[in-house]
Amino acid sequence: MKKALILSGGGSRGSFQVGVWKYLKEINWYPDMICGTSVGAINAVAIGCGLTVKQLSDIWVKSGRRKIYSLKLLDFAANILLRKRLVPLMDTTPFKSMLQSSVDFGRLKKSNIEIIISAVNLHTALPEFFNQNEITIDHVMASGSMPVIFPSQMIDGVPYWDGGIMANIPLLPALARGMNEIIVVPLSPVGHVHRLPEPRSLMDAGEHLMEQSLVSSYQSTLMGYGSPGINDLVPGSSYLRKKNMYRNEALNMYRNPSLNPDDPPLNPAGQDHLQTHATPRIITIAPSKMLGIPSLLNFTPEQANSLMAQGYDNARSQLKEISRLYKKTL
């Protein structure tokens, strides 16, 4: 069985993924591939170069805001007022230095796990994927270059922005490689809780919009591929379900429990384009509550420790629930 781990972007919420990784190691679940975007790319590269959970945790707990970025408020404000060339709000030179001292890119190239990260090519406005044979510090910085907030990065003379703009949850490489079991770690609860609170203020609406943007590409990929992940509590479009546009149950390794088992199958001859490939087992381990907009740039030890604990606990509880539902051992 070929397995993949997908690590999404989400700023300083990335410490949640460290907790998930800690639990996966404890149950001896090791991927053949790790795909990451933005902060997920940083965690993917750190794992790929052999950092232990303790070393990875220390990066999150001991870094702090000043080791990640410095504010350029005056330059940024002058840029807005005078309408001169684009000046990002923050300088990420401190983070680049910290990352260079923590990550052994030579060791990364020798990783037994295929490491893939994404960034958006500003000339084509398309996401591009890079594996460990070509990943450098510039690729990692590019994957996490949030537009306007952080500076874009040059790779071979081409400017790149944060991969999360187009593929915040980079599932496609794992699907393309035919992975059988995929664990996805988004940094938002959207799509993975029974019911989100209704927005009651402008701030609430902004938070919902931001959270939805973090998972939109993932949900679209799942629906376009033919079925939601097996433990997504909010199933795909009701229109798709009513039109029986999900693939034949016989071609599914697992069936989403939220779908009606009495629904007639798709074309049994397998001629529908959604039936041309086997369905991987897709499992989502996500935060169980809204984390707030400030959490995206909160690099305090308190938040890092809190989210690592949440990631560990959520991985344990959510994977045990999946094992119970499907009578499988993870």
Side-chain angles (χ1 to χ4, degrees):
M1 175 181 287
K2 296 186 295 183
K3 296 179 286 188
L5 178 64
I6 312 298
L7 303 177
S8 84
S12 55
R13 295 178 182 180
S15 51
F16 178 90
Q17 295 169 345
V18 178
V20 173
W21 177 240
K22 179 181 179 181
Y23 182 73
L24 293 179
K25 285 177 65 72
E26 286 185 6
I27 64 173
N28 294 315
W29 190 95
Y30 291 99
D32 301 285
M33 168 192 288
I34 302 179
C35 306
T37 289
S38 196
V39 70
I42 296 166
N43 284 331
V45 166
I47 293 170
C49 77
L51 293 190
T52 65
V53 170
K54 176 65 165 58
Q55 290 172 322
L56 191 52
S57 300
D58 284 347
I59 289 177
W60 280 99
V61 173
K62 297 179 180 180
S63 292
R65 194 268 292 176
R66 294 184 183 279
K67 291 185 179 180
I68 302 296
Y69 61 83
S70 59
L71 292 171
K72 302 173 65 176
L73 289 174
L74 291 179
D75 291 341
F76 185 75
N79 170 62
I80 295 175
L81 294 174
L82 301 177
R83 299 183 180 181
K84 294 185 176 181
R85 66 180 181 85
L86 177 63
V87 175
L89 177 61
M90 300 174 184
D91 177 13
T92 54
T93 301
F95 176 67
K96 186 174 184 178
S97 299
M98 184 271 288
L99 194 61
Q100 283 179 311
S101 65
S102 303
V103 174
D104 184 342
F105 286 92
R107 188 173 180 183
L108 176 66
K109 294 183 186 300
K110 301 176 182 178
S111 175
N112 293 325
I113 305 172
E114 183 172 16
I115 306 298
I116 298 177
I117 66 175
S118 68
V120 173
N121 183 319
L122 283 180
H123 287 170
T124 64
L126 294 173
E128 293 186 12
F129 298 92
F130 309 92
N131 75 0
Q132 73 263 34
N133 294 323
E134 54 190 332
I135 293 173
T136 66
I137 185 66
D138 293 330
H139 292 82
V140 180
M141 295 299 295
S143 186
S145 296
M146 288 187 284
V148 181
I149 297 177
F150 295 156
S152 60
Q153 300 290 319
M154 302 297 291
I155 300 175
D156 296 329
V158 177
Y160 284 82
W161 259 352
D162 196 310
I165 302 169
M166 305 292 286
N168 193 51
I169 303 177
L171 182 61
L172 284 176
L175 298 178
R177 289 296 182 87
M179 296 290 147
N180 306 114
E181 183 170 85
I182 304 171
I183 290 182
V184 180
V185 190
L187 297 175
S188 170
V190 169
H192 312 292
V193 298
H194 285 288
R195 186 182 181 89
L196 291 171
E198 180 182 352
R200 299 188 179 279
S201 67
L202 183 61
M203 182 63 73
D204 288 345
E207 182 179 5
H208 274 251
L209 179 62
M210 183 273 297
E211 297 287 354
Q212 289 167 9
S213 71
L214 290 178
V215 301
S216 59
S217 63
Y218 175 53
Q219 296 293 351
S220 297
T221 299
L222 286 177
M223 288 190 288
Y225 192 70
S227 66
I230 62 169
N231 67 325
D232 284 353
L233 300 178
V234 180
S237 164
S238 60
Y239 171 81
L240 295 181
R241 295 199 308 278
K242 290 175 182 176
K243 298 297 182 182
N244 295 315
M245 292 178 67
Y246 288 123
R247 62 169 61 82
N248 193 331
E249 181 180 5
L251 294 178
N252 276 289
M253 294 170 59
Y254 300 87
R255 186 173 177 85
N256 190 311
S258 62
L259 299 181
N260 185 352
D262 297 324
D263 284 347
L266 292 174
N267 181 353
Q271 294 176 359
D272 189 282
H273 75 283
L274 294 179
Q275 300 186 54
T276 58
H277 43 75
T279 306
R281 184 186 196 192
I282 301 177
I283 301 168
T284 304
I285 302 173
S288 52
K289 62 181 181 181
M290 300 287 268
L291 299 176
I293 294 176
S295 65
L296 292 169
L297 289 172
N298 180 358
F299 290 94
T300 62
E302 292 76 18
Q303 173 168 292
N305 282 316
S306 174
L307 289 181
M308 281 190 284
Q310 287 183 47
Y312 182 89
D313 291 341
N314 285 19
R316 179 173 57 185
S317 61
Q318 292 173 20
L319 289 178
K320 283 183 177 179
E321 178 64 12
I322 292 299
S323 297
R324 184 187 69 79
L325 286 173
Y326 293 91
K327 296 182 173 60
K328 297 287 182 181
T329 301
L330 288 166

